[in-house]
Amino acid sequence: MPTTMLHVPTPDGRADAFAAFPEGGGRHPGVLMYPDGFGIRPVLREMARELAGHGYCVLVPNTFYRHGPTPVIELPEYIGEEARPAVFARLMPLIEEHTAERALRDADAYLGFLTTRPEVAAGPVAVTGYCFGGLLATRTAAAHPGLVAAVAAFHAPVAADGLDALAGITARVHFGHAESDLTPESLGELNRALDAAGVDHTSEIYPGTVHGFTMSDTDAFDPAALKHHWDRLLPLLDRTLTGG
């Protein structure tokens, strides 16, 4: 897949971003992919290339660009249990500083940039995200009901802003939850709120999973759950962006 690093102008500076495009040129639907808190790294680049291979232009922004270009913090090649405390000690202050107001300013910039790229077809886009990025994806969908046609979030705290915040979403939704993150009772409460808001959704716990199950460079990785993630994500994008 053709790939490149781009710089997205924002009200607070320039965000570096990884972009992947389908082979053969032409214009294709756009997908904004928010990384997990660990940021842009080989596993995220590979996921973006995989998605581009299915016919989408994918933009993966450096969420923490205010603190420097990718990699904002040094990461081991494999983020195992022993490495996590030191990584999170550096990561959590960045997450805490990334307020909802900052996130929405950035979302405006990312979507404006994505939708005006010559490779991106006119029409609605999709937003997806992982962990903290899934919360950002959900916020972005709620703030841009006329533009975002699909949103998918995986092992993400999608209700962190309160269940009422989900009422602004008009996109089709898939939430894939880790079993370690959400009880069946909490899932039921979330899904009732989505139903009450009239959100077209699937929202499910992926059996036997722990937080971070899509990320192959962590000890949370679950290959079967990653496949299930693609089996949910690709049909969602096909229905909403290509009319499949």
Side-chain angles (χ1 to χ4, degrees):
M1 296 301 107
T3 65
T4 189
M5 290 298 296
L6 300 171
H7 288 90
V8 182
T10 79
D12 297 329
R14 291 201 314 163
D16 51 310
F18 178 78
F21 307 102
E23 296 277 8
R27 303 181 73 192
H28 304 271
V31 177
L32 174 60
M33 177 186 284
Y34 286 105
D36 62 1
F38 297 136
I40 302 170
R41 57 198 194 282
V43 65
L44 264 298
R45 294 185 180 96
E46 180 56 37
M47 293 174 84
R49 284 192 290 265
E50 173 75 18
L51 196 50
H54 291 275
Y56 301 99
C57 297
V58 186
L59 183 71
V60 187
N62 170 16
T63 307
F64 303 126
Y65 68 88
R66 293 173 181 84
H67 300 273
T70 299
V72 178
I73 63 171
E74 277 196 43
L75 294 172
E77 185 175 332
Y78 183 80
I79 309 167
E81 195 63 37
E82 291 183 2
R84 292 174 75 87
V87 170
F88 272 97
R90 298 187 63 190
L91 182 62
M92 289 310 298
L94 308 187
I95 292 175
E96 290 166 359
E97 287 182 31
H98 199 73
T99 62
E101 291 76 18
R102 277 188 176 185
L104 292 179
R105 287 201 305 273
D106 288 346
D108 291 346
Y110 300 151
L111 290 175
F113 183 85
L114 177 64
T115 55
T116 55
R117 291 289 303 180
E119 304 91 345
V120 176
V125 300
V127 184
T128 186
Y130 303 88
C131 184
F132 176 62
L135 173 60
L136 300 182
T138 305
R139 287 172 173 169
T140 299
H144 295 272
L147 179 58
V148 176
V151 59
F154 301 92
H155 46 85
V158 294
D161 295 333
L163 295 176
D164 290 345
L166 302 173
I169 296 175
T170 60
R172 287 184 175 177
V173 169
H174 175 70
F175 292 152
H177 310 283
E179 191 173 275
S180 66
D181 287 345
L182 204 65
T183 65
E185 292 75 21
S186 296
L187 176 67
E189 183 180 3
L190 170 63
N191 290 349
R192 286 190 293 274
L194 292 168
D195 287 336
V199 177
D200 183 352
H201 71 279
T202 58
S203 173
E204 60 184 334
I205 293 172
Y206 286 27
T209 56
V210 297
H211 183 77
F213 58 78
T214 59
M215 297 296 151
S216 61
D217 60 352
T218 75
D219 48 13
F221 180 54
D222 184 323
L226 176 63
K227 181 181 183 302
H228 188 56
H229 141 281
W230 289 119
D231 289 345
R232 288 288 190 256
L233 177 59
L234 293 174
L236 172 68
L237 300 183
D238 188 42
R239 289 194 306 272
T240 54
L241 300 185
T242 68

